[in-house]
Every structure is written in structure tokens, then in C-alpha cells.
Amino acid sequence: MTVNPTPPAPTSVTINDVARRAGVSVMTVSNVVNGKTSVRPTTRQRVLDAIEATGYRVNPMARALAGGRNRLLSVIAPQLNLPYVSEVLQGATQAAERLGYDLVVMMIGERNTSDLSVMSRLSAGALLIQPSRRGRVRRLHLPQHVVSVDGPSDLPLVVDNYGGARQAMQHLLALGHTRIGFVSGLHSENILSGDTPEAQLWDRDDASERLRGYHDSMALAGLDVPQGYVQHGDYLKESGEVAVRALLALPRPPTALFVSGDAMALGAMHVAQDLGLHVPQDLSIVGFDDLPIAAASRPGLTTVRQPLQHMGETAVQMLIDLVDGQPVTLPPPFPTELAVRESTAPPPHTRPA
Amino acid sequence: MTVNPTPPAPTSVTINDVARRAGVSVMTVSNVVNGKTSVRPTTRQRVLDAIEATGYRVNPMARALAGGRNRLLSVIAPQLNLPYVSEVLQGATQAAERLGYDLVVMMIGERNTSDLSVMSRLSAGALLIQPSRRGRVRRLHLPQHVVSVDGPSDLPLVVDNYGGARQAMQHLLALGHTRIGFVSGLHSENILSGDTPEAQLWDRDDASERLRGYHDSMALAGLDVPQGYVQHGDYLKESGEVAVRALLALPRPPTALFVSGDAMALGAMHVAQDLGLHVPQDLSIVGFDDLPIAAASRPGLTTVRQPLQHMGETAVQMLIDLVDGQPVTLPPPFPTELAVRESTAPPPHTRPA
DNA sequence: TTGAAAGCGATACCAC
DNA sequence: GTGGTATCGCTTTCAA
């Protein structure tokens, strides 16, 4: 079946049509639509009726051009099929819907050819989620107000990675583990050209914070970190596989692993299983992120959950406050939560033989 | 830290600035920018230099207002954290980037409060992905040109669900299975108000097509479908769990399952494992969709893969052709591909005792 | 090939 | 309270 392009769309109804029909000026219609200055109830009703009758809807472009505010927010993310991004987005969407704002999403991939200026000019504010290292976002192309989640901006929302690591370690220590290995994530870089001092806040990157949490936990528990107990990964499954092989090949291998990302943790778990180990009986594993696959795996992966949806909601709230001209305060790092599943248990030697 | 709202943004450079700097009229600048009528090379270069020097970028709103075309496409989907949607989106993004178009995404949730008119007026065309049953999309709010993936439009791209089901069944039959159970998906409905006849094409919904593929495969293999071998699910994990319990409780339970969705298939697999069955030794399972979790599960799930990225790319191609005023032909249903993993094997009785 | 002028649809400022 | 009118940045139509 072939579809031929349709001719130009019919002209839509404008504010003038409404004004004419209601017998008032366009100004009055505008005022009614925007609920601005006080309009006499009878006049207002007349305008409302005219709007209803004509099916009038404001033209966002014209409004934006004329300097008016749109109840529209844009989200900018590297990709949308990243679990991290979609979680934040989910929260953002809910908040936006609740507060009567619309949300549009743009992706900035590696090449960043995207002309962000479209949305940036049309929307009142932008939420940056985990902008990738490659696709640099220039300040110039962003709306006036920007809030970021896991990315740089004047208002960077961050998760308490250090605290999350401490939670994970506390769980393993409480179970009685003393030989705990660690697999790190990737060190991140800064992105926004023209970084503000605030951007540094974000630069305390996740990987380092989690590593610090591991080291502090071990130290506070009076435990040494044996040679080779800290392996470096890149958040991808494969690196978890490599890391666990190295860890298990150690003369005194760990009885538990704290892995900085779920994908790596699952990779590690599968390799351990392939090597004949039982999880959690022979090896406990804790992940980080609580991706969907963490709950779907067998055994279910104990992992540190980030309040991503909540962060998304908060970001949108802040954005709207900013747009409304209210001062906004950056909240402290968001606390994590430990999702305890089946991949953790006491170490082998503490159980009855 | 508190951030105070910044004062109105500095005025940006307009076409007038460029014209003045280049010593030409705005018309000429416009022509250069849009590559329209022939402009004398020297003049063109002068304008280009001025653009470069000033950092000028066209204001999409003004352009849209004035009736010009934007190289902008919008994608409309119910949610973004659905694997199906993000796969299609991925392909669409790539194609758009390759062809020099921008893509913005809007979600229409259950409530559909979103004012789609923003993007629909700004963008040249829209790609509808799996619009939900609840959030009805009114034609009025869509751009002139619409292509859909798994949804209604004049140009609905569909996957060959029937063929996919046949592939899955063929795989199981070739392994020697004769007792094959089926778990169906959910029957879908039509959405677009004011449905065109073409929309009917899409109305041959996935669930029915897969079921038909199952029945035909059995019939063609000369096999009966015993009572209770067809269970009905809703694509969610839980329904797969319920279905497999019913299936395994049958007097002569199946040795293989063809499940219409990966989430259900995984639910079924886990229940079977909990009941002490080994997959695939005691029970083979084939899914449909090839979600990320299908590859991540243990054992890996054999499943029917849909060419979602490819469909996304095709959709964007078509959209752009349409925008360019070229006639477009609806391609036939997209063929699926079987991803063979570890969840399928010959039935128990055919292996050496 | 280039330019001047008239909108596109809405808002804002300032009179009435 | 309500209504002119200039203006936003760009494209289009029609002359030059």
C-alpha cells in the first residue's frame, strides 16, 4: 500500500477567531487563557464559551516567540534504554504530570548532532540525566534553568554512593564475613564545558565514593584488605566476570563480594556458578543499582537501591520552582536502601558443618 | 546551597544581526540557511562567515510560526522504560541522526494530559510507538505525517508475529517435541479515534497471530492440541507463573512450552525450577520478544527476536520521505529471528536413558 | 540574484 | 477591566 503525502494542513483556529467570536479583544482572550489579570466573570465566561466552541488551543510557538512561558520541561539524556535513565525519567514524568507540566525528551548521543536549541528555547527548564562523557552539552544550547541527576549543573542531584557502599558492607559484615572482595566501577569525567565550582560536587564520582565506602568499612571493622581484593571494572558484565576470576584465583579467596554495579555483579555470579560455587552458600554477592535484572536473576541479587524515581521527581519540582522564580536549595545526597535478596548469606565456616 | 533564579537570558543573535554583519538582507541569509534559491557564491560565503562569527542559530519557533519546515521529528510512546519502546527508539534515533533530523520524545501515559500539540505543531512528522489502550491519541493533536510501530496509523509497521510463532514451533518440533503447551498474550484493542481501514491492519493483534501460528504449526505437524494446552496470559511475569502451574498439573503435561512473551516465559521457567524440574532437560521453553532479561537469565532463554531497531529506522526513513513529499509504501510485516539459547533441548524420552 | 514589506499567533506595555 | 499596538524571529510574496 502506498500513501501519498497529504496537502498542507488546514489552518487552525487562532486567538483572533476566539476574540471575534466572543466579541472581545485578543488581549482579553489572552488574559483569560493565562488566568492573569482579573477579568469580569461574565466576560470570562463568554471567552471560555468561544474557546470551547471553536476548539481553540494556544500555539506554543507563538507564545514562546512572544516571550510567554510554556508549561513545558525538557529532559536530556544520552540514551533512553539505560535502566538508570528510565527510572529517573519515570519519576520525572509523574511529578510533571502531577504539577501540570509537559515533558519532552531529547537524546544526545555520542555525536551530539542534535540541535538542543529547539527544546531549550521552547521549554522553561531542562533536566539533565547522566549526560555522556562524549556528547558534550554546551551551556548555550540549554534552557535557562537546569537541574541534573548524575551530571553537572548548578544543581546536581547526587546519590549517597558512600553511604550506599557502607550499607552493603555493613550487611556483609553483619553476616559474619571478614574476607570481602571489591569490584570497582569506572572513573567518570567532567562534561559541561565551562564548569562551575558546583559541578565539582558531581565530580566526586560514583566509583571513587563506593571504593571509599568499602575501604572505610573494612578499616572500621578492623579488617585488612588483602592484596588483590580490590579489582577494577567498568560497569559492564564482562569486567565482572574477569574480576571474579582474579578474586577466586587468590590464595585466600574472599567469601563475599561487593560489586559496584549489578551487571558486573551478575556476571560475577554466573562465573562463580560456572566454577561450581554455590551462591550464596560458598560466595555472597552484593551489587549496586538494583536494575530490573537484579530482581529477575536466580538467586535474586542483594543490591543497593538508589532512589532514582524520587530523584526524578525532586528534579522536576526544583525546576518548576526555579521557573516560578522561587529560590531553590540543593538537597543533600539522596540516601540509598539495601534490597536484600538471596545472593547473600553467612560465610561457609560459620554454618554448622 | 541555594540557587536564585537567574534574570532573563541575554538576547540571542538573530537573523538580522547576521544580515547586518554580512551587509545583505535577511532574505539572503534565510536563503543561505535553507539552501534555497541560488545565491551568488561570494555572497553565500559572506553570509556563512557572518553566521560563523556570530554563532547564529535559527530560532525553530520563529521558523515554525512563519510556516517553515523544521528538521524535527517527534516520537510518541506510552512509556520509555519498556524494552520494546526503547529498542524501536534506538533505531529511530540512529536513523534520524544519520539523516540529519532531530528527534524528541513525548510520553502519553494513562491520563494523557500531555499537550501533544506542542510537538505536533513543531515537528514535521511523528512516530507512534505502541500507544497504550488508555491514553487515546486524537488525530487532531498529531502532526500531519504519522507512522506507527505496533500501533494504529495510515502507515502501521508490524512484525510478522505469525511467522515468529511458526519459527519458535518449528524449533521445538525439530527437537522432537510433540507435547507443546502454549501461553498466549493479551488481546489488544484499537485506539485511534476515527480509525481508518488501514488501522485494521494493526488490529490483527500480536496475541492472536501468535496463537494462530501455534495452532497451524501443531496441525501441520499432525499433532493434536490436548485439552488445557493453551493457557491465556497478559504478558506479565505472574501470568506466566500461573499458566505453567496449570500446564504442569495436566495429566500428560507438555515437554515444551511456547510462551508469547519473555517476562511470562521467565516466570514460567522459575516456577518450573522451583517445582524441581530442570530446564531444558525436563522442560523446554521458548519465549517471544528477546528482552534484555532473556539473555541475562540462567539458562539463557531461547526466544523470538523482533527487528525492533530496524523497524524504528524504517519508520524514520518513511517519515522523512513523507515530509519531503515523496510517496511512501508500507513494507510487509517484518520477519523475526529465533535466538537459540539454553532453554531448549530434545524432550526427555528421546535422550539415552 | 537580491531586497522590502507583510504577516504567522501570541504577549506586554500602556493608555482608556 | 479592557483594548490598541509594537514586537518576537523568521519565511514568503512580490518587486526591483
Side-chain angles (χ1 to χ4, degrees):
Chain A
M1 179 198 358
T2 297
V3 169
N4 287 300
T6 27
T11 57
S12 56
V13 26
T14 78
I15 197 173
N16 289 295
D17 302 326
V18 177
R20 200 171 314 125
R21 197 174 213 286
V24 299
S25 77
V26 291
M27 243 340 278
T28 306
V29 177
S30 176
N31 282 332
V32 169
V33 169
N34 295 297
K36 292 301 265 301
T37 64
S38 42
V39 177
R40 189 186 304 151
T42 64
T43 312
R44 150 173 276 107
Q45 192 53 51
R46 202 140 38 88
V47 172
L48 255 21
D49 288 344
I51 290 179
E52 175 71 25
T54 54
Y56 166 75
R57 330 194 87 222
V58 309
N59 181 331
M61 263 82 62
R63 167 181 283 176
L65 225 208
R69 278 258 150 275
N70 280 321
R71 293 177 77 78
L72 191 111
L73 264 22
S74 58
V75 175
I76 294 166
Q79 275 186 52
L80 297 182
N81 57 353
L82 305 173
Y84 188 100
V85 173
S86 33
E87 282 295 306
V88 177
L89 200 46
Q90 192 72 9
T93 306
Q94 282 167 12
E97 189 161 307
R98 183 161 41 77
L99 298 171
Y101 269 67
D102 285 329
L103 223 58
V104 309
V105 187
M106 294 204 74
M107 283 163 283
I108 40 159
E110 309 281 302
R111 288 175 45 196
N112 185 21
T113 62
S114 294
D115 188 356
L116 266 44
S117 63
V118 184
M119 293 325 303
S120 51
R121 287 182 133 140
L122 191 53
S123 61
L127 164 56
L128 242 55
I129 307 177
Q130 224 181 29
S132 71
R133 270 146 293 289
R134 306 273 201 86
R136 284 177 168 269
V137 179
R138 261 187 290 151
R139 203 68 177 230
L140 198 61
H141 299 170
L142 291 177
Q144 189 178 350
H145 304 295
V146 180
V147 174
S148 63
V149 172
D150 194 20
S153 76
D154 290 345
L155 291 167
L157 264 34
V158 295
V159 74
D160 184 7
N161 283 292
Y162 176 78
R166 294 294 303 272
Q167 278 179 327
M169 291 298 292
Q170 188 51 46
H171 173 64
L172 291 174
L173 291 166
L175 286 171
H177 290 276
T178 54
R179 285 148 52 192
I180 308 178
F182 180 77
V183 182
S184 84
L186 205 59
H187 199 84
S188 55
E189 303 165 34
N190 226 329
I191 296 151
L192 251 194
S193 16
D195 309 306
T196 63
E198 289 84 0
Q200 300 305 322
L201 224 175
W202 173 70
D203 217 23
R204 308 178 318 188
D205 67 301
D206 307 353
S208 312
E209 288 291 287
R210 295 174 194 175
L211 177 58
R212 194 163 65 82
Y214 167 76
H215 276 300
D216 283 7
S217 297
M218 292 294 273
L220 285 167
L223 262 20
D224 278 338
V225 176
Q227 182 83 31
Y229 263 41
V230 172
Q231 296 288 325
H232 290 284
D234 60 3
Y235 289 125
L236 300 181
K237 181 175 184 179
E238 289 68 28
S239 71
E241 298 171 351
V242 172
V244 76
R245 285 214 175 77
L247 253 1
L248 294 177
L250 256 26
R252 286 193 92 227
T255 59
L257 259 39
F258 172 36
V259 186
S260 295
D262 283 350
M264 295 194 294
L266 255 18
M269 187 164 89
H270 290 159
V271 165
Q273 288 170 335
D274 289 347
L275 293 175
L277 293 182
H278 291 273
V279 177
Q281 294 84 347
D282 302 319
L283 182 70
S284 287
I285 300 183
V286 180
F288 207 114
D289 287 340
D290 198 20
L291 304 186
I293 48 170
S297 82
R298 285 309 181 87
L301 183 68
T302 294
T303 187
V304 179
R305 177 184 305 142
Q306 311 185 41
L308 298 181
Q309 291 211 13
H310 181 49
M311 291 171 81
E313 291 176 28
T314 306
V316 165
Q317 294 259 30
M318 291 169 64
L319 230 29
I320 293 177
D321 283 348
L322 235 29
V323 169
D324 288 345
Q326 294 167 33
V328 159
T329 302
L330 183 67
F334 287 71
T336 57
E337 181 189 350
L338 191 69
V340 180
R341 299 210 177 87
E342 299 84 41
S343 68
T344 45
H349 64 277
T350 64
R351 270 177 288 108
Chain B
M1 179 199 355
T2 297
V3 169
N4 285 300
T6 26
T11 59
S12 56
V13 28
T14 78
I15 196 173
N16 289 295
D17 303 327
V18 177
R20 201 171 312 125
R21 196 175 216 284
V24 299
S25 76
V26 292
M27 234 346 273
T28 305
V29 177
S30 178
N31 281 331
V32 169
V33 169
N34 295 298
K36 292 300 268 299
T37 64
S38 41
V39 177
R40 190 185 304 150
T42 64
T43 313
R44 149 172 276 108
Q45 192 52 52
R46 202 139 39 88
V47 172
L48 254 21
D49 289 344
I51 290 179
E52 174 71 25
T54 55
Y56 167 75
R57 330 195 88 221
V58 309
N59 180 331
M61 263 81 62
R63 166 181 283 178
L65 224 207
R69 276 260 151 273
N70 279 320
R71 292 177 79 78
L72 192 108
L73 264 21
S74 56
V75 175
I76 295 167
Q79 275 186 50
L80 298 182
N81 57 352
L82 305 173
Y84 187 101
V85 173
S86 33
E87 281 296 305
V88 177
L89 203 45
Q90 191 72 7
T93 306
Q94 282 167 14
E97 189 161 305
R98 182 161 41 78
L99 298 170
Y101 270 67
D102 286 328
L103 222 57
V104 308
V105 188
M106 294 203 73
M107 283 163 282
I108 41 157
E110 308 283 302
R111 287 176 46 197
N112 185 22
T113 62
S114 295
D115 189 356
L116 264 46
S117 64
V118 184
M119 293 323 303
S120 52
R121 285 183 137 141
L122 192 52
S123 60
L127 165 56
L128 244 53
I129 307 177
Q130 224 181 28
S132 70
R133 271 147 295 289
R134 307 272 200 86
R136 285 177 167 269
V137 179
R138 263 188 287 151
R139 203 67 177 232
L140 199 60
H141 300 170
L142 291 176
Q144 189 178 350
H145 304 293
V146 179
V147 173
S148 63
V149 172
D150 194 21
S153 77
D154 289 347
L155 291 167
L157 265 35
V158 295
V159 74
D160 185 6
N161 284 290
Y162 175 78
R166 294 292 303 272
Q167 278 180 327
M169 291 298 291
Q170 188 50 48
H171 173 64
L172 292 174
L173 291 166
L175 286 171
H177 289 275
T178 54
R179 286 147 54 191
I180 308 178
F182 179 77
V183 182
S184 84
L186 206 58
H187 199 83
S188 56
E189 301 165 35
N190 227 330
I191 296 150
L192 251 195
S193 15
D195 310 305
T196 62
E198 288 83 2
Q200 300 306 320
L201 225 174
W202 173 71
D203 218 25
R204 308 176 320 185
D205 66 302
D206 306 353
S208 311
E209 288 291 287
R210 295 175 194 173
L211 177 58
R212 194 163 66 83
Y214 166 76
H215 277 300
D216 283 7
S217 298
M218 292 293 272
L220 284 166
L223 263 21
D224 277 339
V225 176
Q227 182 83 32
Y229 263 43
V230 172
Q231 295 289 325
H232 289 283
D234 59 5
Y235 290 125
L236 301 181
K237 181 174 184 181
E238 288 69 29
S239 72
E241 297 171 351
V242 172
V244 76
R245 286 213 175 78
L247 253 0
L248 294 177
L250 255 24
R252 287 193 92 226
T255 59
L257 259 38
F258 172 36
V259 186
S260 296
D262 282 350
M264 294 193 294
L266 255 19
M269 187 164 90
H270 290 159
V271 165
Q273 288 170 335
D274 290 347
L275 292 175
L277 293 182
H278 291 274
V279 176
Q281 295 84 345
D282 302 320
L283 182 70
S284 287
I285 300 183
V286 180
F288 206 113
D289 288 340
D290 198 20
L291 304 186
I293 49 170
S297 82
R298 284 306 181 88
L301 183 68
T302 295
T303 188
V304 179
R305 177 183 306 144
Q306 309 186 43
L308 298 181
Q309 292 211 12
H310 181 49
M311 292 171 81
E313 290 176 30
T314 306
V316 164
Q317 293 260 29
M318 291 168 64
L319 230 28
I320 293 177
D321 282 347
L322 236 27
V323 169
D324 288 345
Q326 293 166 33
V328 158
T329 302
L330 183 67
F334 288 71
T336 58
E337 184 188 348
L338 191 68
V340 179
R341 300 209 177 86
E342 299 85 41
S343 68
T344 46
H349 64 278
T350 65
R351 270 178 286 108

